[in-house]
Amino acid sequence: MSRIRLALAQQGDAPEEAAFLAWLQAWCEQAAAGGAHLLLLPELWSTGYRPDKMNEAHAWHDGHPALAAIAALAQERRLAVGFTYLARHQGALRNRLRLYGADGRLALQYDKVHICDFADGTETALQGGDGFACADVALGGATVRIGAMICFDREFPEAGRALMRQGAELVLTPNACRMREDEALGDARLQQLRGRALENRFAVALCNYPAPLQDGASCLIDARGRLLALADDQAGILFADLDLSELRRWRTEQDEVWGTQALRPDCYR
């Protein structure tokens, strides 16, 4: 299979923990029914990115039953599921992404590296991660090299370059900020992300919260920086298709045109 389908769950903040798995199950069912191979949720969906829940009482340890339940959902629906949650890590709290494969096994894990020092203290209780990671993940009949950068991480060119040097073909970006209608920046974040995809020759799938929490604009961007799909600001699931053969052909073509010597990692310190 050369084409994979993504489902970007641009949904509001999670209800109480007792109910949110039922919501997730419904979205998994909708994604699977729509032919998706991977479902992605917004940043810190387990807490709705709410400042009052940015504490240990709402953090999950590695053995938390919700994690096992999400893995079971992925396996049941034969659907990869990518999500972020507030994680306990060696006495600290981290903003963690997990991607469970369609077999229910943990395929990728990384912790947000760049922590936002917001005036309201939303993230100041969190500890930054140690680096960026990629993994080969089976989606449908294809194996895709997948990486991730959570929200603020995408604003640093080093993040994209670190993933590119690990061979990332698709980068998952759970998000929790305004992308298209920011009061100070307009759509600069969205355009910046298009540039990040182009400069590193990988596709980017971003999933954001809808209005009024944020402004939606969940999207799929290809390796040329082109918007393949873009949501409005309303709650819903955005389906988007990525042609892997085209992505790989473009990457090979660029290597042939520019040569691999154009990359100078010795100068990027």
Side-chain angles (χ1 to χ4, degrees):
M1 179 182 293
S2 66
R3 188 176 297 271
I4 58 172
R5 171 161 283 198
L6 310 177
L8 309 178
Q10 183 171 288
Q11 300 287 354
D13 57 336
E16 293 306 311
E17 190 170 312
F20 88 92
L21 282 174
W23 283 28
L24 181 57
Q25 181 175 4
W27 298 337
C28 285
E29 291 173 356
Q30 185 177 343
H37 303 104
L38 186 152
L39 174 71
L40 182 63
L41 301 175
E43 181 182 13
L44 278 178
W45 185 80
S46 66
T47 66
Y49 201 78
R50 288 170 50 177
D52 62 322
K53 289 190 174 184
M54 218 63 95
N55 55 62
E56 189 169 347
H58 298 281
W60 296 351
H61 53 78
D62 285 347
H64 195 284
L67 295 173
I70 296 171
L73 271 176
Q75 183 180 31
E76 177 186 347
R77 293 294 167 185
R78 305 299 299 168
L79 175 75
V81 179
F83 62 100
T84 53
Y85 65 99
L86 190 61
R88 297 180 183 180
H89 179 82
Q90 299 177 2
L93 300 178
R94 290 189 172 189
N95 184 343
R96 175 166 293 170
L97 175 136
R98 277 195 173 187
L99 174 65
Y100 287 115
D103 58 1
R105 297 181 181 180
L106 180 60
L108 177 67
Q109 176 175 295
Y110 111 98
D111 299 336
K112 185 177 182 180
V113 172
H114 301 94
I115 301 302
C116 303
D117 188 14
F118 292 131
D120 65 3
T122 302
E123 289 193 19
T124 51
L126 305 187
Q127 178 187 73
D130 304 311
F132 298 91
C134 287
D136 294 325
V137 182
L139 296 179
T143 298
V144 187
R145 186 75 171 163
I146 295 180
M149 45 189 184
I150 300 170
C151 200
F152 195 36
D153 279 347
R154 61 173 161 66
E155 297 199 12
F156 293 83
E158 295 85 356
R161 188 46 49 109
L163 292 169
M164 184 273 276
R165 293 183 66 186
Q166 294 180 57
E169 296 179 302
L170 171 64
V171 173
L172 307 180
T173 305
N175 202 72
C177 69
R178 301 183 73 80
M179 291 295 297
R180 185 168 46 194
E181 298 176 356
D182 185 83
E183 183 176 350
L185 300 175
D187 69 345
R189 290 191 179 103
L190 180 60
Q191 302 308 329
Q192 178 190 56
L193 192 59
R194 295 178 65 187
R196 195 71 70 241
L198 173 62
E199 70 193 10
N200 293 297
R201 304 175 193 169
F202 52 51
V204 178
L206 177 139
C207 188
N208 199 19
Y209 287 101
L213 294 171
Q214 299 300 338
D215 66 345
S218 297
C219 61
L220 177 63
I221 302 169
D222 73 4
R224 302 187 190 204
R226 300 178 301 185
L227 279 166
L228 301 183
L230 178 65
D232 58 19
D233 64 354
Q234 298 301 299
I237 294 182
L238 176 69
F239 289 93
D241 294 336
L242 179 64
D243 189 329
L244 289 174
S245 296
E246 169 63 17
L247 182 148
R248 290 165 178 168
R249 185 199 64 75
W250 166 257
R251 286 158 65 108
T252 299
E253 179 182 283
Q254 293 304 295
D255 284 343
E256 292 173 350
V257 169
W258 300 107
T260 55
Q261 72 242 13
L263 299 178
R264 290 292 307 279
D266 56 307
C267 296
Y268 304 154
R269 299 196 175 108

